[in-house]
Amino acid sequence: MSATVPYEDTRFPVTQPLTTFLWEVRGPDRVEATGECPRCRCVTVKVWQEVQYVTKGPSKPLRGLFNDGEPRLAMCECETWHVNRPAQIPDGCGASFWLAPPPQGLSL
């Protein structure tokens, strides 16, 4: 499947966080937000996952990451091929946008 939307590094302003993404907690260390990219209209998934870094120690726990209710930055990571996408970037159309957390919050 190919798209007519060319790859372009595009950042949407913070004043427009998207509220249309479906948020799911996938276990104690994984959160996913799935929805439509505002630029290319392809389905994209943003994943937050707790990881243990060997040199830096553990990452910030997910529980603390979502407690403040602030929008989260995401990038389009759709699997659609976009014209002129650089070879070192495997997915997406280049759009970065803000996701509003779910109004009911997340129970991790």
Side-chain angles (χ1 to χ4, degrees):
M1 176 179 179
S2 65
T4 56
V5 177
Y7 180 89
E8 182 181 345
D9 192 1
T10 307
R11 187 171 295 253
F12 286 83
V14 155
T15 57
Q16 300 174 347
L18 301 174
T19 59
T20 56
F21 274 62
L22 172 66
W23 290 75
E24 293 182 273
V25 177
R26 301 276 185 162
D29 60 353
R30 185 178 173 97
V31 174
E32 293 181 6
T34 305
E36 183 181 81
C37 171
R39 183 166 181 273
C40 70
R41 304 292 181 210
C42 298
V43 174
T44 186
V45 178
K46 170 63 180 169
V47 176
W48 290 270
Q49 191 164 335
E50 267 186 54
V51 294
Q52 173 83 33
Y53 294 102
V54 175
T55 58
K56 295 181 181 179
S59 67
K60 184 175 182 180
L62 284 179
R63 190 176 310 271
L65 184 63
F66 293 102
N67 283 347
D68 59 7
E70 292 294 319
R72 298 288 163 215
L73 183 63
M75 291 185 67
C76 178
E77 295 183 18
C78 71
E79 296 180 4
T80 304
W81 179 78
H82 292 282
V83 179
N84 299 331
R85 183 170 60 211
Q88 67 272 20
I89 300 178
D91 298 317
C93 71
S96 39
F97 44 88
W98 293 89
L99 299 177
Q104 72 278 10
L106 289 172
S107 53
L108 299 170

